[in-house]
Amino acid sequence: MIKLIPVARLQPGMYVHDLHCGWLEHDFVRNRFLVADAHDVARIRALGVAEVSIDTARGLDPDAAPAATTPDRGDPAGPPPPAVHTASKVAGTPERARNLHREANEIVRNLLADVRLGRQIEIEKVEPLVARIVDSIFTSADALLPLARLKQHDSYTFQHSVSVCALMTAFARTLGLPRETIREIAIGALLHDVGKARIPDEILNKPGKLTEAEFERMKSHVVQSKLILMATPGISPIALEVAAQHHERFDGSGYPNRLAGESISLYGRMAAIVDVYDAITSERVYHKGMPPTEALRKLLEWSSKHFEPRLVQAFIRSVGIYPTGALVRLESKRLAVVQAQHAEKPTQPLVKVIFHTAGHYLQPEDLDLRRSQDRIVGHEDFAAWNIDPARWLAL
């Protein structure tokens, strides 16, 4: 049943049928979606609409659910501010994220070694790890996602898999997909490159350009991934599509099957975007990684052919215009590392000021750009300023 309710009555668990504002007036990926948490409620209220339509067949009915509590008007501080999506809001989250990142890399390293030896993947060993990654992204994506940028040349294959898993989880959450579907997407993302265990190291880690024969061998990893996962008991069709289609392209120029448009599953179209983003922002033996903001511009450019434009826009929303972990230049000539996103103010994230362009480090300072006269004027490259990203991304 569709009901029109005042926006003040909106609460998590309700299903929005119509926001009663134009597509360009809000930053939600869809016009219809489940309200996940108080953060979503705050974002909708910030739109300034008086009423929204909800579908009680797909979510909570306000007339059946307990009334949402309202702040005491006698409290001079007023209602609490909308939740900020930041690691600092959850005690211990940064440390847990670091431990999880290390553990995930080790598990995937061992898994690829097992595949190389011809052993079957045991999905029961993967599922608990994926559950923790999904929980971490839902709790505080700003704690785990920056760690996805920390890779070593000789460990790229398994570290890339962990990064793609975290990014795909955040992407799927932005799209409002069901939690169970997100879990299957995350499993597929973590295992999407298992076929590389069957590619010789001299091809995987070759510093120069691959020969035509070597490139064909490299491309075969997608089919190998699909075959390995098809032989894995308990793997879902969703996870299989992530792995089998992550090199297909929206214009039909990809491989292995040159699928195009919606003949590629939603999960394959998502994986194509995330796989490329993580690859081009990573330091490799044969190319220098791009700053995240430049990589997002490239994705927008390529969305005219290779990627579905609406999904590229949604992915940018999931990581932020200035992604967490990016190095940015402020108008004050200081450099800062992006710490957390503000969904309602995507150009004004929380940053940690660390360096002055005059060439010296500063006393680190957390700065919320929503409440500062300073502003971001561009992105910067850690290497250009001889700044070790590991020092700041793992804080």
Side-chain angles (χ1 to χ4, degrees):
M1 179 179 178
I2 307 302
K3 286 188 177 181
L4 184 67
I5 65 167
V7 74
R9 297 189 68 191
L10 190 69
Q11 54 185 291
M14 293 182 178
Y15 189 91
V16 172
H17 179 78
D18 193 339
L19 287 169
H20 296 294
C21 65
W23 177 265
L24 296 177
E25 295 176 58
H26 67 81
D27 63 354
F28 290 95
V29 178
R30 299 174 176 176
N31 282 319
R32 299 178 183 180
F33 56 91
L34 185 69
V35 179
D37 49 31
H39 184 60
D40 280 351
V41 173
R43 289 170 63 192
I44 294 169
R45 289 177 178 172
L47 297 175
V49 295
E51 298 174 314
V52 295
S53 292
I54 62 168
D55 187 344
T56 59
R58 304 182 70 177
L60 291 178
D61 184 340
D63 297 321
T69 58
T70 55
D72 181 358
R73 296 303 179 188
D75 180 1
V84 177
H85 194 44
T86 169
S88 64
K89 297 295 181 182
V90 184
T93 294
E95 181 62 29
R96 288 201 301 271
R98 287 194 293 273
N99 291 338
L100 175 58
H101 187 254
R102 284 194 292 267
E103 181 184 342
N105 283 327
E106 188 62 27
I107 287 174
V108 177
R109 182 205 295 267
N110 294 336
L111 184 150
L112 290 173
D114 286 346
V115 171
R116 197 177 288 265
L117 294 172
R119 296 171 183 159
Q120 188 178 63
I121 293 173
E122 297 179 57
I123 201 71
E124 296 82 5
K125 292 182 178 179
V126 174
E127 289 174 330
L129 171 65
V130 166
R132 290 174 59 201
I133 290 174
V134 172
D135 285 344
S136 179
I137 293 297
F138 269 72
T139 301
S140 182
D142 292 312
L144 185 59
L145 289 183
L147 301 178
R149 299 194 58 211
L150 300 178
K151 299 184 183 72
Q152 298 170 331
H153 292 166
D154 58 351
S155 305
Y156 173 80
T157 299
F158 65 84
Q159 292 177 339
H160 170 68
S161 296
V162 174
S163 299
V164 169
C165 179
L167 289 164
M168 281 286 280
T169 301
F171 191 5
R173 187 189 183 202
T174 296
L175 291 175
L177 299 179
R179 183 84 172 235
E180 180 58 28
T181 299
I182 293 175
R183 188 183 74 87
E184 299 300 339
I185 288 172
I187 289 174
L190 193 71
L191 302 176
H192 79 287
D193 267 349
V194 291
K196 286 185 177 178
R198 294 181 176 171
I199 305 298
D201 284 340
E202 56 267 26
I203 294 178
L204 276 179
N205 300 317
K206 183 176 178 179
K209 184 178 180 180
L210 298 179
T211 66
E212 186 174 340
E214 288 170 336
F215 186 54
E216 288 302 315
R217 184 72 184 276
M218 176 67 87
K219 290 197 301 183
S220 73
H221 82 272
V222 180
V223 173
Q224 293 296 329
S225 293
K226 181 178 180 180
L227 292 173
I228 292 167
L229 294 183
M230 287 177 66
T232 301
I235 203 74
S236 72
I238 290 174
L240 192 60
E241 287 175 346
V242 170
Q245 298 178 356
H246 72 278
H247 275 291
E248 301 290 355
R249 296 294 180 259
F250 204 59
D251 62 355
S253 64
Y255 62 87
N257 297 314
R258 299 186 68 85
L259 301 177
E262 294 190 1
S263 62
I264 309 169
S265 73
L266 169 63
Y267 318 113
R269 301 196 305 271
M270 292 169 61
I273 294 168
V274 173
D275 180 70
V276 167
Y277 172 79
D278 189 67
I280 64 178
T281 54
S282 300
E283 296 286 335
R284 303 292 302 277
V285 291
Y286 51 82
H287 80 73
K288 180 176 172 55
M290 291 183 188
T293 45
E294 184 178 338
L296 293 178
R297 278 199 289 270
K298 281 290 186 184
L299 289 179
L300 282 171
E301 177 186 327
W302 295 331
S303 69
S304 63
K305 293 182 180 179
H306 300 314
F307 308 120
E308 183 176 359
R310 280 179 50 130
L311 284 181
V312 170
Q313 294 282 354
F315 176 67
I316 292 172
R317 289 178 190 166
S318 76
V319 297
I321 295 172
Y322 299 105
T324 304
L327 184 68
V328 295
R329 179 194 290 258
L330 303 179
E331 193 171 45
S332 60
K333 297 184 179 180
R334 297 180 296 171
L335 303 186
V337 179
V338 178
Q339 300 292 296
Q341 306 294 319
H342 297 307
E344 74 282 7
K345 296 286 186 181
T347 62
Q348 298 173 318
L350 180 70
V351 302
K352 184 181 291 292
V353 178
I354 63 169
F355 197 82
H356 197 282
T357 56
H360 57 85
Y361 280 97
L362 301 169
Q363 180 68 30
E365 173 193 356
D366 288 328
L367 183 64
D368 189 338
L369 293 178
R370 296 177 305 175
R371 301 180 176 88
S372 171
Q373 293 185 337
D374 215 344
R375 65 186 184 92
I376 295 174
V377 295
H379 68 265
E380 292 290 339
D381 186 349
F382 283 98
W385 295 95
N386 199 28
I387 297 173
D388 179 8
R391 176 181 175 186
W392 303 103
L393 299 184
L395 287 177

